[in-house]
Amino acid sequence: IEMANGQQAAHSLNEYQLNEGVRESKLTFPDYRAIDSLPSHNYLDQIFRLAPIQSYDISVANGSEKANSYFGIGYFKQDGIVYNSDYQRINLRLNSEYKPRKWFEMGENISFTTSETNGFSEYDLKSEYRSPIRHAIGYLPYMPLFNEDGDYTSDGQGNANPQATIDHTANNNNM
């Protein structure tokens, strides 16, 4: 997504305020020359990352004319594309079959899976109030994420700080 830089956002804010009837001396940026020195941040770059995948499987099988068996275990992990999100799963499988007679066969198939999801629910990602993606798009690009004290900043326009959204969301879903 192509985002406005700090200078473009400041000019747009001034234009919006003028259209709303704000006097020029009361604009957020009354000195147009100061706009040129504003920093620019792309907050989508702050919240997105590459999402590597790890997947490991191992199995053992053996068999004869009358019996066979199989055991397998697997592990899967993927970091989410949004920071502070990931998914991991462990699965086990055991099955065997025994044929004591040509006309009789018995066996079992046992499996177990557990998984854990951390990060944002689908609701969070679609929500106007909880989505770090929406907050990264809406946060003014000339505002830093932290002030000098290390506290989260506010852009003064009602947009949530995208870094605060990521840092304070801890949805954990174990299955």
Side-chain angles (χ1 to χ4, degrees):
I1 297 176
E2 187 72 29
M3 301 295 294
N5 64 30
Q7 295 79 25
Q8 293 165 333
H11 281 295
S12 294
L13 182 58
N14 273 358
E15 286 178 33
Y16 168 77
Q17 290 173 336
L18 287 171
N19 288 337
E20 292 293 309
V22 175
R23 289 190 315 231
E24 206 163 316
S25 63
K26 299 290 186 185
L27 294 175
T28 303
F29 297 101
D31 180 4
Y32 283 88
R33 292 174 302 209
I35 291 175
D36 294 335
S37 64
L38 290 173
S40 290
H41 307 283
N42 183 341
Y43 293 114
L44 291 174
D45 292 341
Q46 295 288 120
I47 66 165
F48 286 125
R49 65 179 173 183
L50 296 176
I53 294 174
Q54 298 176 48
S55 182
Y56 307 99
D57 294 293
I58 189 167
S59 63
V60 178
N62 68 10
S64 68
E65 222 174 89
K66 290 194 172 222
N68 60 50
S69 62
Y70 170 88
F71 173 78
I73 185 169
Y75 174 77
F76 177 87
K77 181 177 188 319
Q78 179 174 14
D79 292 337
I81 62 168
V82 175
Y83 279 99
N84 197 21
S85 64
D86 64 57
Y87 172 77
Q88 55 186 331
R89 178 185 69 228
I90 296 173
N91 55 292
L92 299 165
R93 183 174 163 211
L94 171 68
N95 64 303
S96 64
E97 188 176 87
Y98 179 61
K99 284 184 179 180
R101 305 272 187 248
K102 284 186 179 185
W103 53 270
F104 183 72
E105 180 180 311
M106 65 182 173
E108 83 285 332
N109 187 355
I110 301 169
S111 62
F112 169 78
T113 300
T114 183
S115 64
E116 179 179 86
T117 303
N118 296 303
F120 300 90
S121 69
E122 184 175 352
Y123 169 79
D124 290 338
L125 292 175
K126 292 180 179 179
S127 168
E128 176 180 352
Y129 304 104
R130 296 181 54 111
S131 171
I133 300 168
R134 191 246 171 254
H135 296 162
I137 291 171
Y139 207 68
L140 293 174
Y142 52 79
M143 292 295 300
L145 293 174
F146 301 97
N147 63 23
E148 295 82 29
D149 299 334
D151 294 330
Y152 298 110
T153 59
S154 168
D155 72 357
Q157 301 296 313
N159 295 305
N161 184 312
Q163 189 64 51
T165 303
I166 287 177
D167 292 346
H168 295 291
T169 299
N171 289 336
N172 185 319
N173 184 8
N174 293 322
M175 298 178 158

